[in-house]
Amino acid sequence: MIILIFFVLGLIIGSFLNVVVCRLELAESILGRSRCPHCKVLIRWYDNIPLLSFILLKARCRNCQGKISWQYPLVELATGIIFALVGYYFFIAADIQSWAETLFYLVSFSLLITVFFYDLKLMEIPMIILWIGVIWAVSYLVFLDWASFNSVNGLLFSKIISGIIGGGAAFLFFFALSYLSKEKWMGAGDAYVALWAGLIMGWPKILLALMLAFTVGAICGIILIALKKKTIKSQIPFAPFLAGGVILAVFLEKVLPQVEYWYSVFK
Ligand SMILES: [Zn+2]
């Protein structure tokens, strides 16, 4: 039941993220009701139900029959599934600390999904979303350290230090890639996404996220080249792979107990 609530919440947030992606692109205010991008008619509330409206309207605007982009149901469904997984793996109603962790992942993943689709669509990183994500991650880490201030763990296990090391290492690595290749392999913006990813994951967990990002990125690159959609020289945005790598790594640790062991090697 709780999973279903998380799923529906994810659908609604996903619907909102679609609006964020579109309005950031057009530099419009996030408030105000949605309009059809073709005929500019206000979309009625019953035509604005996540997932369902897309199916019922057969991907067309009720007014002008203009095509509705696949982006909308895709973002909604992806957000719904990711929210359901966060609810399943992190949320325990009786444990107040799990509420904080759940909220942290829900917000961070929502922002990552926004960056994912925005960069995929426009080959550009929405810096405002990125900095909100960085501030959110730092605040959470400081809160965690403050909450466990009296424990004997000491500095070595401090979350904020682990986050800074993870973020710093990832940032330097991507910054070097971008600098050495004069932004041909990697854009400078990707280095900031890597910094954010490192803050979310911490050290050494960021390594798994980066490995997943590069593996999936390489596979997609090969497929695109094989399909002749891209050549070796063409730019493929990397931030979506980083965002996906972080989300995958967070869940992989929960699914595969081996991951825990793998991390301990790098500590
Ligand atoms: Zn229309």
Side-chain angles (χ1 to χ4, degrees):
M1 184 58 200
I2 215 85
I3 308 301
L4 191 71
I5 294 172
F6 273 98
F7 180 69
V8 172
L9 179 71
L11 289 182
I12 296 165
I13 298 292
S15 180
F16 174 68
L17 298 182
N18 273 319
V19 174
V20 173
V21 168
C22 291
R23 298 201 183 167
L24 271 177
E25 176 188 354
L26 304 167
E28 280 175 11
S29 154
I30 292 172
L31 302 170
R33 289 180 51 204
S34 300
R35 289 169 187 275
C36 166
H38 308 289
C39 64
K40 311 288 175 207
V41 149
L42 276 176
I43 296 168
R44 275 158 281 203
W45 67 267
Y46 52 80
D47 285 341
N48 214 356
I49 300 163
L51 224 49
L52 222 68
S53 294
F54 184 83
I55 299 164
L56 291 176
L57 290 168
K58 300 193 181 73
R60 286 185 183 282
C61 166
R62 188 187 291 274
N63 183 52
C64 70
Q65 299 298 310
K67 273 204 146 198
I68 306 171
S69 162
W70 274 95
Q71 177 205 319
Y72 295 93
L74 213 66
V75 173
E76 286 159 3
L77 192 63
T79 313
I81 291 170
I82 288 168
F83 270 46
L85 286 171
V86 170
Y88 182 74
Y89 285 115
F90 292 97
F91 185 72
I92 304 158
D95 173 10
I96 206 76
Q97 271 230 312
S98 85
W99 287 61
E101 198 177 21
T102 304
L103 184 68
F104 170 67
Y105 282 123
L106 291 185
V107 173
S108 294
F109 287 178
S110 297
L111 296 169
L112 284 169
I113 292 167
T114 309
V115 169
F116 185 108
F117 283 98
Y118 194 91
D119 193 24
L120 210 61
K121 198 175 167 190
L122 300 156
M123 299 276 283
E124 196 186 300
I125 292 154
M127 293 310 270
I128 175 82
I129 300 291
L130 188 126
W131 291 120
I132 293 171
V134 167
I135 291 167
W136 176 250
V138 170
S139 315
Y140 178 66
L141 295 176
V142 170
F143 163 77
L144 280 186
D145 279 342
W146 173 77
S148 61
F149 186 67
N150 289 320
S151 76
V152 285
N153 287 337
L155 266 184
L156 208 65
F157 293 93
S158 155
K159 296 283 180 193
I160 186 73
I161 289 189
S162 156
I164 289 171
I165 295 172
F171 177 79
L172 286 177
F173 176 62
F174 277 83
F175 187 77
L177 274 183
S178 141
Y179 182 78
L180 291 173
S181 71
K182 299 194 174 69
E183 294 213 42
K184 270 190 197 117
W185 303 335
M186 208 59 82
D190 294 316
Y192 292 101
V193 182
L195 167 78
W196 177 27
L199 283 168
I200 295 174
M201 299 300 296
W203 183 268
K205 300 186 179 189
I206 182 63
L207 294 174
L208 179 65
L210 292 183
M211 234 171 60
L212 289 168
F214 277 107
T215 311
V216 178
I219 294 170
C220 286
I222 291 166
I223 292 172
L224 286 173
I225 289 166
L227 293 172
K228 297 208 164 63
K229 296 231 183 222
K230 300 261 178 194
T231 63
I232 290 184
K233 278 184 184 157
S234 45
Q235 284 261 346
I236 298 171
F238 196 72
F241 296 109
L242 269 173
V246 168
I247 297 174
L248 255 174
V250 167
F251 291 127
L252 214 59
E253 189 192 344
K254 294 280 174 184
V255 181
L256 293 175
Q258 292 91 321
V259 171
E260 199 75 53
Y261 169 77
W262 191 80
Y263 284 150
S264 66
V265 177
F266 289 94
K267 261 186 186 153

